[in-house]
Amino acid sequence: QPENNTELSNTNENSNSPYAEDQVLFVAQNIYDIEEDSHILHFYNYNGVHLDELDTSVSTVISLKNYAKNGLTPAMDTSNGKYGYINRDGSFIIDAKYDEAYSFSDDGLALVMCEEKYESAYNKIEKYGFINSKGEEIVPCIYDCATSFYPSGYAIVGNCDLKIVESEDVYVSDHVESSNYRYGVIDKKGNMIIEQKYQFIDHISGKYILCRIDEQHYNIYDLSGTIIYEVNSDDFDGFYYCYVF
């Protein structure tokens, strides 16, 4: 049901949709519906006008909202269980080779994740990086965690200490344990703007980046990576939390 409470339902006399109300699956920038016992995904606007259709037997759509930006959206290839990016025709433009794929941000970069084996541990670890709309790797998958790029053109990345924890239970495999995360900030070319040494990067605004040393101490950077202010809770009466705009 869209925000204006107009329903896509064949029980609604004001709607042009031939589908039942319980077949409506999702509302985003466009409304879409799916035929019963088929793999055809139908796209409708708020007026019930049929816009497009997609065969989901070839790929599983993850996010439809991105079609309005660069024509690509992340999807899973059902033949290998990996994620790539498809166009409006349902064709893979970027090969499905990632273990996770996220929507492209406004700057044309998308966060992707690849799993890799860690030494002799049973489970795999996640590594994050960024690609462009051509599928080119702009930032390799080397980070243990990452955000998508903020509108200001910067992303938070982190790495941690990894170790194998040996299990004493014969039914439980050895596993990887992570600790001591260290966060920094990169630009759209993958350059490290702020060194990975902070407990957390709390916020990136249009002008400033707020980096937490600990609960009482923060460094505020400008977007060039220069510290412009050091915040100490001892300087403020009743200091609880720091935020930048």
Side-chain angles (χ1 to χ4, degrees):
Q1 184 173 335
E3 293 180 358
N4 61 6
N5 293 322
T6 302
E7 294 184 1
L8 280 183
S9 165
N10 61 5
T11 61
N12 186 339
E13 61 183 7
N14 296 322
S15 171
N16 296 323
S17 172
Y19 299 98
E21 183 177 355
D22 60 2
Q23 290 176 291
V24 176
L25 298 181
F26 186 74
V27 175
Q29 291 178 345
N30 290 319
I31 298 172
Y32 66 84
D33 204 344
I34 195 166
E35 291 181 349
E36 186 177 1
D37 300 325
S38 80
H39 297 286
I40 305 300
L41 193 64
H42 292 270
F43 297 80
Y44 291 88
N45 65 14
Y46 288 145
N47 295 320
V49 177
H50 188 270
L51 302 177
D52 204 353
E53 61 184 48
L54 179 68
D55 185 354
T56 60
S57 64
V58 178
S59 58
T60 302
V61 175
I62 303 304
S63 172
L64 297 175
K65 65 181 181 180
N66 225 24
Y67 277 130
K69 297 178 182 179
N70 62 5
L72 299 178
T73 190
M76 182 182 73
D77 187 337
T78 55
S79 67
N80 65 3
K82 298 286 186 177
Y83 294 89
Y85 293 83
I86 59 174
N87 60 15
R88 289 182 180 273
D89 297 326
S91 302
F92 274 97
I93 303 303
I94 299 176
D95 291 341
K97 58 182 179 180
Y98 301 102
D99 293 287
E100 285 183 11
Y102 298 83
S103 297
F104 280 93
S105 53
D106 291 338
D107 53 27
L109 296 179
L111 178 65
V112 293
M113 186 271 284
C114 296
E115 292 182 342
E116 61 181 44
K117 184 75 173 177
Y118 181 73
E119 297 182 4
S120 60
Y122 174 77
N123 60 317
K124 296 180 180 180
I125 59 174
E126 301 174 351
K127 290 292 184 179
Y128 292 85
F130 296 88
I131 62 172
N132 62 18
S133 59
K134 297 179 180 180
E136 298 169 333
E137 188 178 81
I138 303 303
V139 180
C141 292
I142 58 175
Y143 296 108
D144 297 318
C145 58
T147 67
S148 294
F149 276 91
Y150 284 75
S152 55
Y154 298 89
I156 300 169
V157 295
N159 285 102
C160 61
D161 297 329
L162 300 173
K163 68 177 181 179
I164 296 178
V165 178
E166 298 182 356
S167 174
E168 298 179 357
D169 190 335
V170 295
Y171 298 104
V172 178
S173 301
D174 295 347
H175 63 280
V176 179
E177 184 179 88
S178 58
S179 61
N180 191 27
Y181 275 86
R182 300 172 300 278
Y183 296 93
V185 174
I186 62 172
D187 64 16
K188 292 186 290 185
K189 295 182 179 180
N191 299 316
M192 190 66 65
I193 302 300
I194 297 177
E195 183 184 352
Q196 287 181 264
K197 64 179 182 179
Y198 287 98
Q199 182 186 88
F200 201 72
I201 309 293
D202 287 79
H203 183 64
I204 297 180
S205 71
K207 295 182 179 180
Y208 307 110
I209 302 171
L210 179 61
C211 301
R212 185 195 308 174
I213 301 172
D214 54 41
E215 295 297 334
Q216 286 78 39
H217 301 85
Y218 295 81
N219 284 338
I220 299 177
Y221 289 79
D222 63 18
L223 297 184
S224 71
T226 301
I227 295 179
I228 61 172
Y229 198 79
E230 297 179 2
V231 181
N232 187 330
S233 63
D234 296 333
D235 299 334
F236 300 91
D237 183 24
F239 176 87
Y240 177 70
Y241 188 73
C242 184
Y243 198 78
V244 294
F245 299 92

